[in-house]
Amino acid sequence: MSDQLYKGFRPDEMEFQYNPRVSVPEFPELAKVRAAQARKVRAAAKSWLDVAYGNSPREMLDIYAADRPNGAVLVYIHGGYWRSGSKEDNCNFVPTFTTRGATVVLVEYDLCPQVTVTDIVRQTRAAIAWVYKNITRYAGDSSRIFVAGHSAGAHLTSMALANDWTKEGMPQDCIKGAVATSGVFDLDMVMKISVQEQVRMTPDVAKQNSPFLNPPKVKCPLVVAVGGAEPKGWQQMSEDYFNYVKQHGVNAEYLVVPGANHYTMSEHLMNPNSPLTLAMLRQMNL
């Protein structure tokens, strides 16, 4: 590894700045709590689980019914640096939105190193297309689709906004709003830290899937959020993406969630009165 600074950080500082498992050493305990919360939701909520949107065993959706039919649809993409995570462990926040009238769809996708980030971008776009074309069968309104994602899921959200949806026979404005929380937006950085062992980013893959080289083609309202307790480098990444989309004509809002670290952001979505939840509900007019 070179001794040169990257974004002002020395090589020995990069892991803390850009690997949440290092900056939040208690992440295993936090992940267990979130998974336990999610299991309770998955067991109790009215839902359609493991609905296929493609041919891979992991190309599946969990669809959670809104308390009222024909409302907004929230498509949520979990994080895990494209190498870990599951829809089953990340649905703890669902009741916050179903009780307000939104159908919530959790997206699953294949993981690195079995696939590349390019493959995952393709899969998550396919999942959104499936939702648009099929969600009315589950009492959701296909004209009111919103996309949100955390960490790697925020990157995948940004790439959904960068897609030309007309090539899939869909209106370009099929996504009515988006939320990107604690996003991995700098793909060159990934090649400089230990997650590269599993992600196996290449310069070509980074270029093809960089949010900074693929501006939004969907100009819907966007919330870019980051935790107030996340490292400086991670916060700067979100701020840079916010500034980038603003320069490309997106109606974007930048939100720093007070006290939140990378692994407690989902707890804020469980709280109907948190600034992050309120911003999402406002966007969806709920």
Side-chain angles (χ1 to χ4, degrees):
M1 186 180 285
S2 167
D3 289 334
Q4 291 183 332
L5 294 178
Y6 185 82
K7 303 287 187 181
F9 299 111
R10 301 187 310 271
D12 62 344
E13 298 174 314
M14 292 288 289
E15 289 292 325
F16 180 85
Q17 294 296 326
Y18 296 109
N19 185 349
R21 293 186 182 184
V22 173
S23 60
V24 188
E26 66 273 27
F27 85 90
E29 290 75 26
L30 294 172
K32 285 178 185 175
V33 170
R34 184 179 69 241
Q37 294 166 339
R39 281 195 298 273
K40 289 181 181 178
V41 169
R42 204 166 187 261
K46 180 184 176 182
S47 59
W48 299 268
L49 303 177
D50 297 324
V51 178
Y53 68 86
N55 297 321
S56 163
R58 283 181 66 93
E59 290 182 343
M60 296 280 188
L61 306 170
D62 286 347
I63 303 170
Y64 293 89
D67 283 5
R68 301 182 296 280
N70 304 315
V73 179
L74 175 61
V75 179
Y76 185 84
I77 310 171
H78 71 76
Y81 243 128
W82 310 285
R83 61 179 177 159
S84 65
S86 71
K87 59 182 173 57
E88 290 83 2
D89 289 346
N90 285 279
C91 61
N92 56 343
F93 68 92
V94 163
T96 307
F97 295 90
T98 54
T99 56
R100 295 291 289 264
T103 298
V104 182
V105 182
L106 271 288
V107 177
E108 193 58 282
Y109 50 86
D110 286 311
L111 300 174
C112 298
Q114 284 73 30
V115 297
T116 67
V117 170
T118 300
D119 296 320
I120 298 171
V121 168
R122 177 191 57 76
Q123 288 180 318
T124 50
R125 286 172 172 173
I128 294 167
W130 187 98
V131 171
Y132 178 82
K133 294 170 183 177
N134 293 278
I135 200 62
T136 55
R137 290 159 45 194
Y138 302 87
D141 184 349
S142 63
S143 70
R144 296 174 63 198
I145 291 176
F146 298 80
V147 178
H150 177 68
S151 194
H155 162 264
L156 297 166
T157 298
S158 74
M159 294 307 292
L161 298 181
N163 194 34
D164 182 353
W165 292 101
T166 63
K167 290 182 177 179
E168 306 191 43
M170 296 163 57
Q172 188 56 29
D173 66 348
C174 58
I175 300 172
K176 300 305 183 185
V179 178
T181 67
S182 303
V184 187
F185 300 120
D186 181 351
L187 302 198
D188 290 333
M189 165 276 296
V190 176
M191 293 182 276
K192 300 177 184 297
I193 61 173
S194 61
V195 300
Q196 170 68 354
E197 218 172 284
Q198 291 167 294
V199 175
R200 299 180 186 176
M201 187 71 65
T202 67
D204 284 347
V205 170
K207 183 178 180 180
Q208 186 177 349
N209 299 286
S210 169
F212 294 109
L213 297 175
N214 296 276
K217 291 185 173 73
V218 181
K219 299 298 176 71
C220 64
L222 171 65
V223 176
V224 180
V226 70
E230 300 200 70
K232 179 181 176 182
W234 201 277
Q235 291 192 33
Q236 188 63 54
M237 191 161 48
S238 284
E239 190 172 343
D240 289 346
Y241 180 63
F242 165 74
N243 289 327
Y244 177 80
V245 296
K246 288 280 284 186
Q247 291 165 8
H248 284 83
V250 172
N251 175 18
E253 172 187 353
Y254 186 63
L255 176 64
V256 178
V257 181
N261 67 40
H262 197 77
Y263 294 99
T264 58
M265 288 288 276
S266 67
E267 290 183 14
H268 286 263
L269 287 183
M270 294 176 67
N271 176 1
N273 297 310
S274 82
L276 180 57
T277 303
L278 291 172
M280 293 177 69
L281 291 172
R282 278 196 304 273
Q283 187 183 87
M284 292 188 284
N285 292 316
L286 296 178

